[in-house]
């Protein structure tokens, strides 16, 4: 009995040490001067420390972020994973086949993002960028190669293009057994239109289960009860977009960023 207790104590001590190390590494990344001040100022709305810990991130993991946009989370994830892990940014198509306003915006953002990664190789280590352009380019890497796939406030974009099923399926395919799919998205009230930018939480959970994921847990980390979700410009009326310009800007600033669902799914071995 004493031997078992001793072994258990040693294992527990090792686990605590590992968790402490991961937390310290994340705190360091969050407080780093590498982050732009304008991005760090949004932590009060986006709760990156709590969100990433909820998803179970560790500095040794292979982590794929779908559509990192302007790199808000990249400034945290890239340096955090630089030494022992691997950050993969599944970014926009920079040379789209068709010229549409949406494609033009994404191509411009993707080009800027690629330049940012090149300019910050020292801080990002072996971070890499791939093109993710549903439904044309869906390969996120070798099957079962990622520990964690993350997406922040992107589901409405893929839903508008009727690509959510494909995105969820691609995420499932690239994850290892036991890998986590972490989702943060603007959360709709029942019956809201997709055009508002908000998504129905129950529907997103059902879709993930349909693809094969198991829901681990939901969190209210990124909830915002001040968000009434009844604005002329939908979610884009709120910061940081301020889609209505100076009209009632102080009101929207006081509300803050959107009410968001935070969902954690796992790929279980069959």
């Amino acid at each position: 009995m004493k031997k078992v207790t001793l072994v258990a104590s040693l294992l527990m001590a090792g686990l605590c040490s590992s968790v402490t190390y991961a937390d310290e590494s994340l705190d360091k990344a969050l407080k780093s001067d590498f982050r732009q001040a304008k991005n760090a100022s949004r932590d009060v709305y986006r709760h990156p420390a709590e969100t990433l810990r909820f998803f179970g991130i560790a500095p040794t993991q292979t982590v794929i972020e779908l559509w990192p946009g302007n790199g808000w989370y990249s400034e945290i994830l890239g340096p955090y994973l630089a030494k022992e892990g691997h950050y993969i940014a599944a970014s926009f198509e920079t040379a789209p086949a068709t010229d549409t306003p949406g494609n033009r915006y994404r191509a411009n953002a993707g080009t800027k993002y690629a330049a940012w990664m090149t300019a910050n190789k020292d801080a990002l280590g072996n971070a890499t960028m791939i093109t993710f352009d549903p439904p044309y380019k869906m390969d996120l890497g070798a099957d079962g190669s990622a520990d964690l796939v993350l997406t922040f406030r992107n589901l409405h974009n893929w839903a508008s293009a009727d690509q959510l099923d494909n995105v969820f399926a691609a995420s499932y395919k690239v994850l290892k057994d036991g890998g986590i799919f972490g989702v943060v998205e603007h959360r709709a009230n029942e019956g809201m239109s997709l055009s508002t930018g908000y998504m129905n939480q129950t529907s997103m959970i059902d879709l993930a289960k349909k693809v094969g994921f198991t829901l681990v847990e939901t969190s209210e980390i990124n909830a915002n009860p001040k968000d009434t979700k009844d604005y002329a410009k939908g979610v884009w009326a709120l910061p940081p977009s301020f889609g209505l310009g100076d009209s009632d800007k102080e009101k929207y600033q006081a509300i803050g960023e959107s009410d968001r669902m935070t969902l954690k799914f796992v790929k279980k071995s069959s």
Side-chain angles (χ1 to χ4, degrees):
M1 179 64 72
K2 288 183 179 179
K3 185 181 289 186
V4 172
T5 303
L6 177 60
V7 171
S9 297
L10 290 171
L11 288 172
M12 184 58 70
L15 177 60
C16 290
S17 176
S18 175
V19 171
T20 300
Y21 166 61
D23 278 358
E24 288 177 351
S25 297
L26 184 56
D27 286 339
K28 183 178 179 181
L30 287 163
K31 295 173 183 176
S32 170
D33 291 340
F34 182 68
R35 298 185 68 200
Q36 296 178 73
K38 67 176 183 179
N39 287 339
S41 70
R42 310 217 73 75
D43 288 1
V44 65
Y45 304 120
R46 300 182 178 183
H47 313 101
E50 297 88 345
T51 300
L52 292 173
R53 287 183 178 121
F54 174 72
F55 292 143
I57 198 166
T60 55
Q61 291 176 330
T62 294
V63 179
I64 301 173
E65 183 185 1
L66 307 182
W67 278 14
N70 294 318
W72 195 90
Y73 260 99
S74 303
E75 290 184 350
I76 302 167
L77 294 171
Y80 175 70
L81 298 163
K83 290 184 179 179
E84 300 175 83
H86 185 194
Y87 174 60
I88 302 171
S91 192
F92 298 133
E93 171 63 81
T94 58
T98 57
D99 183 24
T100 67
N103 282 347
R104 207 175 307 134
Y105 168 82
R106 286 187 286 273
N108 182 54
T111 299
K112 289 181 178 178
Y113 185 86
W116 175 82
M117 286 197 77
T118 299
N120 291 283
K121 283 183 178 180
D122 289 345
L124 301 175
N126 67 340
T128 53
M129 187 178 80
I130 60 176
T131 299
F132 187 58
D133 185 31
Y136 309 107
K137 296 180 180 178
M138 299 294 301
D139 186 6
L140 291 171
D143 292 1
S145 60
D147 298 290
L148 193 56
V149 174
L150 301 174
T151 176
F152 302 96
R153 307 175 311 282
N154 282 311
L155 300 191
H156 58 284
N157 295 309
W158 297 316
S160 297
D162 197 25
Q163 292 301 315
L164 263 184
D165 292 63
N166 286 336
V167 172
F168 278 43
S171 300
Y172 186 87
K173 186 178 179 183
V174 78
L175 280 167
K176 301 173 182 177
D177 290 340
I180 297 297
F181 182 40
V183 174
V184 176
E185 177 59 303
H186 314 298
R187 177 167 50 191
N189 294 332
E190 196 64 38
M192 288 183 68
S193 167
L194 172 60
S195 64
T196 63
Y198 293 91
M199 301 292 292
N200 181 273
Q201 179 168 319
T202 300
S203 296
M204 296 305 95
I205 293 172
D206 289 345
L207 176 57
K209 289 179 178 178
K210 173 186 170 185
V211 166
F213 285 113
T214 298
L215 178 66
V216 178
E217 192 178 356
T218 67
S219 173
E220 294 301 297
I221 294 167
N222 295 299
N224 181 2
K226 295 180 182 178
D227 181 7
T228 55
K229 311 176 188 181
D230 56 356
Y231 324 117
K233 286 281 187 176
V235 72
W236 299 283
L238 297 175
S241 298
F242 291 112
L244 294 170
D246 290 332
S247 178
D248 289 328
K249 189 172 183 178
E250 290 185 1
K251 165 190 168 182
Y252 296 119
Q253 183 68 70
I255 292 171
E257 295 193 11
S258 67
D259 175 51
R260 292 163 185 166
M261 64 181 90
T262 305
L263 313 175
K264 181 179 180 179
F265 301 98
V266 65
K267 177 180 178 177
K268 288 191 173 180
S269 57
S270 54

